[in-house]
Amino acid sequence: MRAHGREPDGPREQATTAVRPDVTGLFRLQRSAGNRAATRLVARVQRQHLDLPTGAVGAVSGPGANRVENVLVVLDRLHALWSISTDDYHDERTGIAGTAPGQSVDSTRLARTIAAISRNEQPTLAPAVAEHFLNLRLSAPIGPGLPNTAADITALQGYFRARGALTPAMLGAEHVTRDGTNLDSIPDTRRALVEVKRAIARGILGWQPVHPVESEHGGDRFGGQTFRFTRPPHAIDRRNAEFGQYSIFVPRGAGPANNVRLHFSAGGVLGDSGTNAVLQHGLRSASDGSGWITIAVPGIDNTTGNVITAGEIQACLQRIGRPTTIDAFLLTAHSRGVLSLAATLNSGSVAGSLVRQVVLYDETAGAADAIRRAGIPASRVTMYAVNSSKDAGRGTRTVDLRAIGPELRAIGFLRIIESARATRPDVVVPPYIQSQLIRLAPLGSFSTRTPTPPGKHSIVEFCRANRTALRAIANPSDVRHGLQYFIEEHDLARFGPRADRHGRALPPGRMIDPGIYSHHLFVTELAHEATD
């Protein structure tokens, strides 16, 4: 169920050995009851553990198995999935309390956890669980002997189709018209239900969160709301295959109106890498309460941009079960993504009359002419300037942040380390870094607006009040003890090995151009202003 594009390899799973049934007993069962019964027994035992990216949990033994941190997070997930009762959950946690971090818990002490892992393999789904993890509203529970209304089964199948877990042929073969469906009669739907619950329990439904606000029980809080659409093979440039894949985010605030936000990224829009702008900039948490469905378009390093066609926009909406008629557009673009925005407007894919707002992050790149030709009033255009001195045309609103560019870079560094301390417990922050850290307002609460909205904090005032400390962070006198060096040394921003803008590896001690961070990271702090 890891349905999101090509993702970098995560930490190698620890070698584990499943606890197996007695071989003599298995042969005896095979002789008396046949191969099918023996196969069911083996399958049942194999389902008594979960393989996590950081090690296995359950009826397993071996190096790295049942590390207490993994056991606790699996318990949290199983409890949220309703696969373990609250009493058993608390008793199990109490039973392993005091186990030192990094130590393993013997599987004989995890009877409730193992039972819950097996229970989670049942094809059942409570409405509250469906709404919490999948943003799917059911009228009644689903499972053997339960109501299994035709409407609920159809809604669940549509969700699995959006994730790519069911093909159109499977949907056709398993179409239901009556209530009380026996799940054994729709085996592919049954399988998909079990797989999605297992993926949630393993913490692999979605991406690896960068910011704690997008993390839940160590997994992706928005994994069940994030989908992928791939262009048909004939429409993909094989030299740039990754640019034929879009990510789609359905916020909880989405209503019946088809309000579509097209976000044109400077880089990728899928996977765990820091170049996935949707992930790095926290676009999902920034817009979850809004009514804007986000279709993110990857950037492409050329002079013409990456056009998303009208047909592809409609296909993305169909993929998530929405109608294809669009009520309104919001267009946002960052850096070279502005080329894609301009090219898409010039192609006629987006009706200018439906565009409610255009937001450009630190780049204009031909957007002014494209916006004018599309008939979009200049009053609906906002441009944030950090490194760029260009404007988006007469009458547009410019949020000029150039005077605090270094401070914004420092805030970006602070946010990366703050987030890594929550989502990367393996990272040890040394005292010389801790001494430089400044407490930030919660992600999504900085604002450029005047007057500052209730509950928000002026980012300009914060930079002014902390100017000396922020400037020291942005431009350290002792480079090797600065935040930027620490971030790159441990790849906390997930940009991969240090390289220059041409992709050449940087020698030890050389760092990425600091200005790139100002340009790149400020979006994380202000992304919410586009959909507030």
Side-chain angles (χ1 to χ4, degrees):
M1 292 301 299
R2 205 163 176 81
H4 301 288
R6 299 181 303 155
E7 301 184 0
D9 292 334
R12 188 176 297 277
E13 294 184 1
Q14 299 284 349
T16 58
T17 305
V19 177
R20 294 178 175 83
D22 176 72
V23 175
T24 304
L26 179 59
F27 285 152
R28 188 160 51 245
L29 175 66
Q30 202 169 15
R31 285 193 299 270
S32 63
N35 288 330
R36 180 173 298 178
T39 300
R40 282 200 298 265
L41 173 63
V42 172
R44 180 179 64 80
V45 173
Q46 288 176 338
R47 289 196 298 266
Q48 289 180 329
H49 78 278
L50 293 170
D51 290 316
L52 278 60
T54 52
V57 170
V60 290
S61 61
N66 291 324
R67 284 177 49 224
V68 66
E69 296 89 345
N70 288 337
V71 173
L72 291 172
V73 78
V74 164
L75 273 169
D76 288 342
R77 293 169 187 162
L78 292 171
H79 188 235
L81 282 160
W82 292 23
S83 293
I84 187 170
S85 71
T86 298
D87 287 344
D88 282 352
Y89 168 77
H90 288 303
D91 287 347
E92 196 81 328
R93 290 185 69 94
T94 300
I96 61 177
T99 305
Q103 296 300 305
S104 292
V105 181
D106 192 279
S107 61
T108 59
R109 298 170 58 194
L110 298 175
R112 295 176 179 85
T113 302
I114 293 168
I117 290 172
S118 294
R119 193 176 300 113
N120 194 59
E121 299 283 338
Q122 298 303 310
T124 58
L125 188 63
V129 173
E131 184 168 1
H132 181 81
F133 285 106
L134 312 180
N135 194 25
L136 183 66
R137 291 164 180 80
L138 302 178
S139 65
I142 287 176
L146 295 174
N148 299 338
T149 67
D152 285 346
I153 295 295
T154 299
L156 190 63
Q157 290 174 329
Y159 177 83
F160 291 143
R161 170 69 187 111
R163 297 208 68 80
L166 293 181
T167 65
M170 291 173 181
L171 286 178
E174 297 191 357
H175 176 66
V176 297
T177 57
R178 296 181 180 179
D179 296 346
T181 300
N182 183 336
L183 295 184
D184 288 338
S185 69
I186 47 174
D188 286 312
T189 302
R190 187 184 192 279
R191 168 192 53 78
L193 174 54
V194 172
E195 285 181 354
V196 77
K197 290 174 62 182
R198 185 187 299 126
I200 294 168
R202 294 176 63 199
I204 62 168
L205 184 70
W207 302 327
Q208 180 185 350
V210 167
H211 304 290
V213 71
E214 297 200 342
S215 176
E216 182 178 52
H217 307 314
D220 186 353
R221 175 184 168 195
F222 298 110
Q225 297 169 242
T226 309
F227 307 88
R228 180 183 66 180
F229 175 79
T230 304
R231 285 172 174 162
H234 69 272
I236 295 178
D237 180 347
R238 291 301 173 188
R239 294 167 301 176
N240 298 295
E242 64 186 288
F243 301 115
Q245 302 190 55
Y246 308 124
S247 66
I248 310 166
F249 173 64
V250 183
R252 292 187 183 274
N258 249 3
N259 296 326
V260 177
R261 173 192 187 175
L262 297 180
H263 179 73
F264 298 89
S265 170
V269 296
L270 293 164
D272 297 336
S273 168
T275 60
N276 173 358
V278 179
L279 181 67
Q280 179 71 260
H281 295 150
L283 298 187
R284 297 176 301 168
S285 60
S287 61
D288 190 41
S290 78
W292 293 100
I293 298 165
T294 297
I295 299 174
V297 181
I300 186 168
D301 192 8
N302 63 13
T303 58
T304 58
N306 185 18
V307 173
I308 181 170
T309 68
E312 288 168 348
I313 296 170
Q314 293 177 333
C316 285
L317 293 171
Q318 286 179 320
R319 185 62 179 265
I320 58 174
R322 305 283 300 195
T324 57
T325 300
I326 297 170
D327 294 286
F329 277 112
L330 164 63
L331 309 182
T332 59
H334 177 220
S335 191
R336 74 164 65 98
V338 174
L339 285 170
S340 301
L341 180 149
T344 297
L345 282 176
N346 288 333
S347 73
S349 298
V350 173
S353 60
L354 296 179
V355 176
R356 299 292 177 262
Q357 187 181 13
V358 179
V359 181
L360 309 176
Y361 296 110
D362 210 30
E363 184 56 81
T364 55
D369 288 341
I371 290 168
R372 177 179 49 79
R373 282 193 290 267
I376 302 169
S379 59
R380 296 184 180 178
V381 182
T382 299
M383 190 271 193
Y384 290 82
V386 175
N387 288 359
S388 176
S389 60
K390 303 172 184 176
D391 62 49
R394 181 178 299 176
T396 63
R397 173 176 174 259
T398 298
V399 180
D400 192 349
L401 303 173
R402 288 174 295 172
I404 58 170
E407 288 89 338
L408 293 175
R409 176 163 68 250
I411 289 174
F413 292 159
L414 291 166
R415 186 71 71 188
I416 286 174
I417 294 176
E418 175 190 82
S419 293
R421 295 177 84 176
T423 62
R424 292 264 315 265
D426 59 303
V427 174
V428 177
V429 181
Y432 69 85
I433 293 294
Q434 292 186 35
S435 66
Q436 301 176 61
L437 301 182
I438 300 172
R439 186 178 180 85
L440 297 176
L443 185 62
S445 63
F446 277 130
S447 176
T448 64
R449 292 174 179 158
T450 303
T452 304
K456 302 294 184 182
H457 306 271
S458 168
I459 196 166
V460 174
E461 289 300 321
F462 178 85
C463 290
R464 182 177 296 120
N466 297 278
R467 184 177 187 275
T468 301
L470 292 174
R471 287 276 173 135
I473 291 170
N475 304 292
S477 56
D478 182 358
V479 173
R480 286 184 179 273
H481 289 86
L483 270 60
Q484 180 179 342
Y485 190 88
F486 179 74
I487 288 168
E488 293 182 16
E489 183 180 28
H490 297 279
D491 194 23
L492 299 187
R494 301 191 200 167
F495 292 156
R498 293 195 297 266
D500 63 17
R501 64 189 181 89
H502 301 293
R504 296 185 294 247
L506 292 172
R510 284 280 305 280
M511 297 185 292
I512 297 172
D513 178 359
I516 292 176
Y517 285 103
S518 301
H519 167 78
H520 184 71
L521 298 177
F522 87 96
V523 181
T524 305
E525 303 302 324
L526 302 175
H528 64 92
E529 291 193 331
T531 53
D532 278 352

